[in-house]
Structure formats: C-alpha cells, structure tokens
Amino acid sequence: MKNFPLLLVLSFFVSSCIFLVSGCNDKEGSDMSKDESGGQHRYEQKIVDGDRVVIDHTTGSMWHPSGSKKYMKYKKVNKWLEKLNRKGYAGYHDWGLPAMVEAELLLESRVNSSALCIDQVFSNRQRFIWTNNSGDVNFIIGCIRFDSKVNFVRPVRFVNIKLNAASNVDFTVVITAPSP
C-alpha cells in the first residue's frame, strides 16, 4: 500500500508524456504550436545587437534561438543565465528559463526536418530544455517530464508588444531566474 501513491504519480507523468507524443506524431492531431486562443505562432528571426533572437509575436516572447551548447544539471542553470545576462545577450539583461506552459507552447504537432517537434527557427541541438520549475520539455517525442538529470537551457524574455495588428492589448510579463 505504501507504493500506491508513488505508482499513481509515475503513471500520471508517463500518461502526460504519451499524450504529447501522440500529438507530435499524429498528422491529424491537435496543433500544440498554437497559442491558448488557437492562433498560430508568428515567429520572426532577428539580429539584435549582433545576436540572433526569435520573436514570437503571438505570445510576446523573445527566445534565444539555441541556448546552451551543452546540457547541464539544473543547479548549474543559474550560473549560465547570470553569465548570459552579464554579457547582455542581444542587449538585454533579463533572460531566464521559460515556465512549463511557455516551453510547452514551443511544441509542434508535426516533426520538423530534424525529426523534432519544434519550429525550424530554433536550433536542433537542444532536444530537451529546462523550465523554471525544474521540469523539461522533450522535443524528440513531444512530451514534458519532471525526472531529468541534465538538459539544455533555452532562455526567454518577454517584450511589450501588440498581440496582433487588430488588437490594442499590450502586455508585459516579468520572469525571474530559478532558485538554486
């Protein structure tokens, strides 16, 4: 009886992963790359202060197109982000890890030419990325997990933009680096 709750939790995470796997590989499946209102992401690649960025005009987020070159343990993430912010990547000093829902929104319903469930504007090196709650998004099979030991970092920051040309709604989201 002592193992029952643990088994229930484990099957919840496995179920989540299986559900997202079928979404990524299902040609007729739901498009996870759509935002919460059902709109497609509008990605734009730009060079800002000599650094490449990807702007998602749908969510108002600015992504580092690749992120860390090597995978790392979660406890090393803060140090990596501090170095990136000290450098001022793309002229900004407020890069951080995405929340799970933000990272999950990067998942595409179909695999790209690199066999990953993410748009081609992003590097194919980061097949798994950390989120700010020490979970991760797996772009190989299109799932979320909470049991990883090492992952890559793909930083994000938020910009104040119009949601679309027909909207007068502005928003700004503030994110912070994870606690050690």
Side-chain angles (χ1 to χ4, degrees):
M1 286 306 252
K2 288 182 181 180
N3 291 336
F4 180 73
L6 179 60
L7 291 174
L8 185 60
V9 169
L10 289 176
S11 63
F12 168 76
F13 290 126
V14 170
S15 298
S16 295
C17 197
I18 292 170
F19 172 76
L20 294 175
V21 169
S22 63
C24 179
N25 295 312
D26 183 353
K27 294 186 186 327
E28 302 299 321
S30 64
D31 192 345
M32 292 183 293
S33 67
K34 292 183 178 180
D35 70 353
E36 292 173 356
S37 65
Q40 284 285 356
H41 285 270
R42 294 181 299 124
Y43 294 122
E44 175 188 8
Q45 295 182 69
K46 285 181 98 170
I47 303 291
V48 178
D49 275 5
D51 294 316
R52 288 184 47 228
V53 296
V54 175
I55 298 173
D56 182 347
H57 290 282
T58 305
T59 64
S61 53
M62 178 185 284
W63 291 89
H64 193 295
S66 55
S68 62
K69 291 183 174 138
K70 296 182 179 184
Y71 54 84
M72 64 188 73
K73 292 182 178 183
Y74 193 76
K75 66 183 180 179
K76 302 273 185 183
V77 170
N78 259 347
K79 190 178 221 176
W80 191 90
L81 286 170
E82 286 171 7
K83 184 177 177 182
L84 183 77
N85 284 320
R86 219 177 10 260
K87 176 188 170 211
Y89 187 84
Y92 297 100
H93 303 274
D94 58 351
W95 295 92
L97 287 178
M100 180 61 78
V101 68
E102 293 147 359
E104 192 177 337
L105 283 172
L106 294 177
L107 288 169
E108 296 280 336
S109 61
R110 293 176 180 84
V111 295
N112 65 24
S113 62
S114 300
L116 297 177
C117 304
I118 191 168
D119 194 280
Q120 290 289 126
V121 299
F122 296 100
S123 168
N124 62 7
R125 178 184 292 212
Q126 291 76 18
R127 297 170 182 270
F128 318 92
I129 62 169
W130 284 117
T131 63
N132 66 4
N133 64 350
S134 70
D136 71 281
V137 174
N138 177 328
F139 296 106
I140 296 173
I141 57 175
C143 74
I144 58 175
R145 302 179 306 177
F146 292 92
D147 60 350
S148 298
K149 303 292 185 232
V150 293
N151 285 305
F152 291 93
V153 177
R154 177 169 288 132
V156 65
R157 63 177 302 277
F158 291 87
V159 292
N160 190 11
I161 62 166
K162 301 273 189 231
L163 289 176
N164 61 47
S167 172
N168 289 327
V169 177
D170 287 333
F171 68 95
T172 303
V173 178
V174 178
I175 58 172
T176 58
S179 303

